Amino acid sequence: MSQVWCIVSEDNVTARELAEPLLREGRQVALLSPDVSSFAMLVNEWGDAVVSAEIREPSILSLSDALWQIEENFGAVDVIALVDDSRRPDRVQDAVDFFATRWPEADVVIVAPATAPH
């Protein structure tokens, strides 16, 4: 069984940088972002190994829908990677708490954003 990663990020550059090597290693990856259009090539290339869910306004309903979609495709998540841009540390902690409640067995990883210009 493949390890499942859920990458939560408003920074799609960093999300792609995380996702691509994971996919090459045979992992399954779920990407949550306000705009998932930049992940279309990943979905085209990796097919069922990638799920992307757009969350424009974080709410219990939109997050629950996204998590249901992930679980429907992959089951439980093994690793939750949250990209922290340090502008809103309270928001990152809220996300950690929310996802850890949904997937208590998952490891939570906080990732710094990409340093390359966007």
Side-chain angles (χ1 to χ4, degrees), residues 79-118:
V79 181
I80 303 161
L82 298 161
V83 178
D84 176 13
D85 68 5
S86 297
R87 291 180 290 174
R88 306 259 325 260
D90 58 319
R91 193 170 176 188
V92 172
Q93 186 57 53
D94 289 346
V96 167
D97 295 342
F98 179 83
F99 289 106
T101 300
R102 183 67 173 243
W103 297 306
E105 301 298 317
D107 293 324
V108 178
V109 178
I110 307 296
V111 180
T115 56
H118 305 270

